[in-house]
Amino acid sequence: MDALFLNVLDSTIRLSVPLIFAALAGLYSERSGIFDISLEGKMLIAAFASASAAAVTGSAYYGLLAGVLAAVAFALVHGLASITYRGNQIVSGVAINFIAAGLAIILGGAWFAQGGRTPPLSGAQRFGEITLPGAGALSGVPVLGPLYSGVVSGQNLLVYLAFAMVPVSWWVLFRTRFGLRLRAVGENPAAVDTAGVSVPWLRYRAVIICGVLTGFAGTYIAIAQAAGFNRDMTAGKGFIALAALIFAKWKPVPVMFACLLFGFLDAFAIRAQNITLPLIGQVPPQAIQALPYVLTVVLLAGFIGKAIPPKAGGVPYVKER
């Protein structure tokens, strides 16, 4: 099998992982009626917290714990503003994005004195590649062998966890009582309240799940994909995940394929820096690199299909007395 094809496929998977985590995080939150444009900020603060904890403790798993806790803390702030105090969810999300970006730089500069960066990570401070059983023995099998040994095997723990979360999220949302209530509270919270279910507590649980998943996304970027935290290293992935979520109409499996599409465009942009097209000539690298963002704008502008959000999305619930 062509080595270039395998490399692009491998890069597509690796680059789509933070998008899958973040888009699934937004899925839980927005299905419950809490719009969340702070995915970017929560990913960024999780990336900083995980890289800092990994650098100090020397363990990637402590880094993951710190990243998740930081993202959950920011998620609870969004929940407090949106659910308890019934504030504007868009304003709350924007504020969290700004706070996360500023806080990471200030704390990074104060703690490590490296211009807002964390020290470079290596060894046990990062999530390493996992070789699956039989990868070496099957490598010689035509077609399936290179795919299994070169693409499926050799990924890190968070990659497998991201793809496992897709069927898990589908099962939770569409096959459990919690998922049924979560979807119902995003459509008609008054009906859920009438049935004796606490709307605020249900929404808080969705917001906490959102924080956990964005914590995984930020941790992956900082200590699995990269080797430390850098300023603005999430590079708009939270907003791309939101576009994927809308494009996929708030459904887990289409969310995965939308994120893979963005990941493929990103992988293609990396490998097609000096591409030459017939009748056009050499395409500027900046034009290739802008492809994922151009697609994001197209999707958010609503040019592809009609996406209908949960009916109660963005609307604070006020209990009638």
Side-chain angles (χ1 to χ4, degrees), residues 3-20:
L4 178 61
F5 172 75
L6 290 177
N7 285 335
V8 171
L9 191 58
D10 182 60
S11 297
T12 298
I13 291 173
R14 292 173 187 266
L15 292 169
S16 64
V17 166
L19 301 179
I20 292 174

Side-chain angles (χ1 to χ4, degrees), residues 6 131-136 138-139 143-154 160:
L6 290 177
T131 302
L132 297 180
L138 294 174
S139 60
V143 183
L144 292 180
L147 279 175
Y148 182 71
S149 61
V151 178
V152 178
S153 178
Y160 299 119

Side-chain angles (χ1 to χ4, degrees), residues 108-120 229-231:
W111 291 348
F112 303 108
Q114 296 186 15
R117 300 190 301 272
T118 59
F229 176 81
N230 290 310
R231 181 191 295 258

